[in-house]
């Protein structure tokens, strides 16, 4: 992130609170929610805003996450701006409705607090919950800290409601590491956000003067055309994401780099790719190894969908080895993020050697020592030595 702003509205917030402030600034008309750890603080803070008349919206405490997404979809159906938040099993419970929302092209924004899926039961974070929703047709962004979380809630509405996109957006925060860590966050003024995010005027709202069908059956002859339009919208989103980031930076002084952000990659021999909270720790390790004259770099994958395939095709010709940190595992193969990156690398015709590191499952720390070890394994590959393509980091046996 590049920050050129002189902040005047700094507040000491955790990531969940930053999301709540971001949602408040976006003026959603309807917020249906069901609390689940570690997302709960989001819905608590928003309920306080509403109770204290600091936020004017319909706040609906529904009986389940499935109902939350149903209500959000119903609100969007009549032209309202909708927001909700969830985590883990709650997101899994929403799965059916995620398809309905994206297929109906409703630009809903949702925060997801990344938390592992049961069993075994655990409330701590990895990214298996959201990555399992990869093919539901939602744009997915992963943030590094509370400031990026607040800013991305605002950007998410501008992206989702763009005429070229009209696709829902899921903003992901690593459970507890991001959701519960307090830090200084610059909270923009309401008038500034109002200028950046205009009132929502849905082009898909129910209108008695112009009746249309929603969630209807599409025959075999036409279903493919609907899917083609969704794919085109995702492709369009790549350009829109870059445009929105640029405009956001011009107005608020914070740029995030669009689909990906590079850190000290300019002459790197080996790079690590990661998403979310692991990026902050990795920057420290990169600086340490750079001080030792080791040519290492870091790639922060911000958007998982749409996937920045063109970027990774270009990266394949610049480095000798690539490591991918996956906070998930697709059982029987490898990490989901690694599969997509290796596919992009392979399509370039020049495929550098790679290792998929499985780390941080269910909240286990990814330490600086872990990351340093990953870089040394990548250098080992560049010397012609063998390394396993899939490695679990920190196994006890």
């Amino acid at each position: 992130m590049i920050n050129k702003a002189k902040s005047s509205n700094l507040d000491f917030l955790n990531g969940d609170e930053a999301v709540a402030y971001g949602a408040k600034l976006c003026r959603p008309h309807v917020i249906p929610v069901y609390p689940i750890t570690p997302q709960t603080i989001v819905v608590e803070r928003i309920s306080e805003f509403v109770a204290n008349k600091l936020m004017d919206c319909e706040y609906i405490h529904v009986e389940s996450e499935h109902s939350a997404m149903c209500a959000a979809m119903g609100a969007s159906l009549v032209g309202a701006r909708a927001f909700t938040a969830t985590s883990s099993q709650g997101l899994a419970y929403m799965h059916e409705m995620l398809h309905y929302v994206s297929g109906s092209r409703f630009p809903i924004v949702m925060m997801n607090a990344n938390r592992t899926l049961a069993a075994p039961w655990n409330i701590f974070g990895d990214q298996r919950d959201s990555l399992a929703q990869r093919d539901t047709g939602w744009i997915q962004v992963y943030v590094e800290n509370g400031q990026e979380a607040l800013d991305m809630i605002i950007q998410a509405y501008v992206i989702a409601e763009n005429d070229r996109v009209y696709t829902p957006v899921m903003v992901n925060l690593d459970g507890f590491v991001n959701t519960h860590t307090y830090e200084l966050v610059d909270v923009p003024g309401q008038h500034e956000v109002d200028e950046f995010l205009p009132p929502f005027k849905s082009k898909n709202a129910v209108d008695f003067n112009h009746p249309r069908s929603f969630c209807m059956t599409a025959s075999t002859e036409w279903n493919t055309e609907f899917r083609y339009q969704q794919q085109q919208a995702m492709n369009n989103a790549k350009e829109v994401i870059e445009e929105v980031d640029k405009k956001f930076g011009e107005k608020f002084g914070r740029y995030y780099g669009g689909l990906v952000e590079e850190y000290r990659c300019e002459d790197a021999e080996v790079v690590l790719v990661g998403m979310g909270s692991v990026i902050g720790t990795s920057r420290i390790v990169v600086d340490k190894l750079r001080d030792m004259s080791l040519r290492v770099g870091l790639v922060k994958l911000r958007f998982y969908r749409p996937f920045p395939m063109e970027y990774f095709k270009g990266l394949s010709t610049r480095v000798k080895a690539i490591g991918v940190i996956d906070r998930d595992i697709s059982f029987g193969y490898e990490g989901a993020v690694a599969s997509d990156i290796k596919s992009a690398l392979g399509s370039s015709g020049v495929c550098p050697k790679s290792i998929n590191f499985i780390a941080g499952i269910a909240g286990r720390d990814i330490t600086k020592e872990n990351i340093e070890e990953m870089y040394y394994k990548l250098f080992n590959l560049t010397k012609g030595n063998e390394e396993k393509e899939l490695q679990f980091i920190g196994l006890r046996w």
Side-chain angles (χ1 to χ4, degrees):
M1 182 188 79
I2 300 173
N3 188 348
K4 297 180 180 177
K6 291 184 177 179
S7 300
S8 56
N9 301 305
L10 289 176
D11 206 343
F12 196 53
L13 304 174
N14 62 44
D16 276 347
E17 290 173 331
V19 167
Y21 274 92
K24 174 175 174 285
L25 288 165
C26 292
R27 300 184 185 273
H29 304 101
V30 179
I31 302 181
V33 286
Y34 189 82
I36 178 173
T37 304
Q39 158 262 39
T40 310
I41 297 171
V42 176
V43 301
E44 288 177 343
R45 291 295 172 272
I46 290 176
S47 71
E48 291 169 3
F49 293 150
V50 174
N52 294 322
K53 302 188 184 305
L54 299 173
M55 193 171 181
D56 182 17
C57 72
E58 291 295 328
Y59 181 89
I60 310 171
H61 184 191
V62 293
E63 75 279 14
S64 74
E65 290 86 353
H66 189 280
S67 298
M69 189 51 65
C70 288
M73 179 173 165
S76 195
L77 180 68
V78 296
R81 180 176 284 162
F83 174 82
T84 189
T86 191
S87 177
S88 187
Q89 308 296 139
L91 180 60
Y93 192 24
M94 284 181 176
H95 176 78
E96 178 191 16
M97 293 311 300
L98 297 184
H99 288 278
Y100 268 97
V101 168
S102 64
S104 301
R105 310 294 296 278
F106 292 132
I108 294 168
V109 171
M110 174 170 63
M111 171 269 196
N112 178 58
N114 283 120
R115 179 185 126 188
T116 198
L117 291 166
W121 188 260
N122 182 289
I123 64 167
F124 296 99
D126 61 43
Q127 295 163 347
R128 292 183 57 223
D129 54 355
S130 54
L131 292 174
Q133 308 303 326
R134 180 189 66 180
D135 300 327
T136 57
W138 281 60
I139 292 171
Q140 288 195 16
V141 58
Y142 293 77
V143 303
E144 181 180 344
N145 51 41
Q147 183 68 67
E148 189 176 7
L150 186 153
D151 292 344
M152 281 314 303
I153 294 295
I154 299 170
Q155 287 198 33
Y157 277 108
V158 181
I159 295 166
E161 295 173 3
N162 186 286
D163 284 345
R164 289 171 284 165
V165 180
Y166 252 68
T167 296
V169 178
M170 184 188 303
V171 180
N172 293 283
L173 284 74
D174 282 339
F176 289 100
V177 179
N178 281 342
T179 59
H180 284 62
T181 297
Y182 279 85
E183 54 195 322
L184 285 174
V185 175
D186 181 17
V187 181
Q190 184 65 64
H191 67 285
E192 296 174 298
V193 176
D194 289 343
E195 291 172 355
F196 185 73
L197 175 65
F200 180 40
K201 295 180 180 177
S202 174
K203 66 178 183 181
N204 284 337
V206 169
D207 184 346
F208 289 117
N209 295 320
H210 300 90
R212 63 186 72 181
S213 296
F214 289 94
C215 307
M216 70 296 186
T217 298
S219 67
T220 304
E221 286 78 9
W222 282 102
N223 212 302
T224 301
E225 280 68 22
F226 279 93
R227 301 310 180 203
Y228 175 76
Q229 288 182 327
Q230 280 186 266
Q231 172 69 2
Q232 289 299 103
M234 275 287 187
N235 288 335
N236 294 341
K238 293 180 180 181
E239 187 175 85
V240 172
I241 287 166
E242 303 282 351
E243 293 171 1
V244 171
D245 186 59
K246 183 174 183 294
K247 290 179 181 176
F248 188 91
E250 290 169 353
K251 185 162 191 63
F252 298 100
R254 291 184 291 277
Y255 297 86
Y256 290 97
L259 296 170
V260 298
E261 178 193 346
E262 289 190 348
Y263 184 68
R264 305 191 74 169
C265 289
E266 58 279 0
D267 62 344
E269 291 184 30
V270 304
V271 298
L272 275 177
V273 184
M275 300 196 302
S277 60
V278 72
I279 297 299
T281 311
S282 300
R283 291 183 202 272
I284 297 170
V285 177
V286 168
D287 289 343
K288 175 187 174 183
L289 297 182
R290 280 282 178 175
D291 289 342
M292 298 165 60
S293 300
L294 295 174
R295 291 163 56 187
V296 299
L298 175 67
V299 175
K300 173 180 172 181
L301 178 57
R302 300 187 63 241
F303 281 82
Y304 182 55
R305 285 294 181 274
F307 187 74
M309 181 177 182
E310 297 80 6
Y311 169 79
F312 284 105
K313 289 173 71 173
L315 184 66
S316 66
T317 62
R318 296 167 48 194
V319 300
K320 295 179 179 178
I322 296 175
V324 180
I325 304 172
D326 255 300
R327 298 193 69 174
D328 72 288
I329 177 72
S330 177
F331 302 114
Y333 192 27
E334 59 186 0
V337 180
S339 292
D340 285 339
I341 290 176
K342 287 165 68 174
S343 173
L345 295 173
S347 66
S348 71
V350 181
C351 190
K353 295 181 177 179
S354 64
I355 304 175
N356 182 197
F357 299 107
I358 308 298
I361 299 295
R364 179 175 289 189
D365 286 342
I366 306 176
T367 66
K368 289 181 285 187
E369 290 74 20
N370 292 151
I371 295 167
E372 195 168 334
E373 177 188 352
M374 296 177 201
Y375 276 116
Y376 283 121
K377 287 177 179 290
L378 293 175
F379 277 118
N380 201 34
L381 272 184
T382 66
K383 295 173 184 173
N385 298 318
E386 293 292 325
E387 287 282 352
K388 291 182 179 178
E389 291 187 22
L390 177 66
Q391 300 190 23
F392 279 69
I393 297 300
L395 271 184
R396 298 186 180 195
W397 65 84

